[in-house]
Amino acid sequence: ILNVEQSPQSLHVQEGDSTNFTCSFPSSNFYALHWYRWETAKSPEALFVMTLNGDEKKKGRISATLNTKEGYSYLYIKGSQPEDSATYLCASNSGNTGKLIFGQGTTLQVKP
Amino acid sequence: NAGVTQTPKFRVLKTGQSMTLLCAQDMNHEYMYWYRQDPGMGLRLIHYSVGEGTTAKGEVPDGYNVSRLKKQNFLLGLESAAPSQTSVYFCASSTTGRYTYEQYFGPGTRLTVT
């Protein structure tokens, strides 16, 4: 069983602050790393799926990096807005199985 | 294109009762999944299916059974509900190959077992 860990568990920032979270995962037999955004009362939605060491992906003010050798990924939000308030989940595939193991999530609250 | 749908949205059961949760997807995805979400625990995989007629156990399969008789449907059954199965259940589907199993989630089913 994989162990995917996220930190911090929760984060409160002011509007306009930039922030980042960490996801750590076992690097052995790595296949893909996923980031999902989960707003209250909605379903998780995919932000990024990354597979290559050194990969960087960007969507608007949100970006992510991947280090498969040391087993971590960072999610960055530049200039946080209240609408960025959500729980951010990461998940790892081990091998080409389609089976994801999710971390516990980082809950972000952005105050206006 | 409805994506992933789940039936029902809410349900209250008494201990020992049985029920089936239905998940349907119209994206022709091969893989389907059932997760449960509990406070502070993230999403935990119950069972998944890699294609019609196949199922496999996830992290927390005990007390649940599943069936995938049609490609578009994935059923989750609770034969004898227990209070520990009070949770929010999410179904998801994904493609394979270069899309690397990106998950498309349904809206969730909130189940309370008293």
Side-chain angles (χ1 to χ4, degrees):
Chain A
I1 302 288
L2 292 179
N3 210 17
V4 178
E5 301 284 344
Q6 291 187 247
S7 63
Q9 194 170 351
S10 65
L11 199 53
H12 295 255
V13 302
Q14 289 293 133
E15 183 176 353
D17 288 349
S18 293
T19 187
N20 65 86
F21 333 128
T22 305
C23 173
S24 62
F25 54 89
S27 54
S28 61
N29 205 26
F30 172 82
Y31 188 75
L33 191 282
H34 301 227
W35 281 101
Y36 292 84
R37 172 191 161 86
W38 193 359
E39 292 181 73
T40 303
K42 294 188 178 180
S43 305
E45 291 185 350
L47 283 171
F48 308 113
V49 180
M50 298 185 286
T51 58
L52 300 176
N53 186 43
D55 215 359
E56 288 189 33
K57 297 225 172 177
K58 189 173 180 181
K59 189 180 286 188
R61 293 178 291 97
I62 304 177
S63 60
T65 61
L66 179 65
N67 182 323
T68 62
K69 293 183 179 178
E70 295 181 40
Y72 65 84
S73 175
Y74 294 133
L75 187 79
Y76 300 91
I77 302 179
K78 185 178 177 182
S80 303
Q81 299 297 307
E83 58 264 30
D84 295 328
S85 297
T87 295
Y88 292 83
L89 295 171
C90 75
S92 181
N93 284 104
S94 176
N96 189 8
T97 64
K99 187 175 167 182
L100 271 67
I101 302 296
F102 281 83
Q104 302 98 318
T106 293
T107 299
L108 173 67
Q109 191 82 21
V110 182
K111 297 176 185 174
Chain B
N1 189 343
V4 180
T5 58
Q6 291 182 232
T7 309
K9 287 188 168 51
F10 304 94
R11 186 73 187 267
V12 178
L13 286 179
K14 293 186 178 177
T15 299
Q17 286 185 319
S18 63
M19 77 163 293
T20 300
L21 281 66
L22 170 64
C23 176
Q25 53 96 4
D26 60 3
M27 296 175 282
N28 201 35
H29 285 170
E30 287 295 329
Y31 282 56
M32 295 187 75
Y33 310 79
W34 277 107
Y35 295 95
R36 60 178 288 171
Q37 189 257 325
D38 303 294
M41 304 285 284
L43 288 168
R44 292 185 292 169
L45 182 65
I46 304 171
H47 286 279
Y48 66 108
S49 168
V50 302
E52 183 179 320
T54 71
T55 63
K57 293 180 180 180
E59 296 174 82
V60 288
D62 294 341
Y64 305 95
N65 56 74
V66 287
S67 64
R68 183 109 180 260
L69 299 179
K70 294 182 179 180
K71 186 178 183 178
Q72 63 267 34
N73 295 339
F74 195 29
L75 278 63
L76 178 72
L78 286 72
E79 287 188 350
S80 180
S84 60
Q85 294 178 305
T86 293
S87 188
V88 181
Y89 292 86
F90 284 95
C91 176
S93 68
S94 73
T95 56
T96 59
R98 69 185 181 94
Y99 296 105
T100 53
Y101 310 109
E102 179 179 322
Q103 310 274 288
Y104 292 78
F105 286 89
T109 295
R110 185 174 293 275
L111 176 66
T112 302
V113 183
T114 61

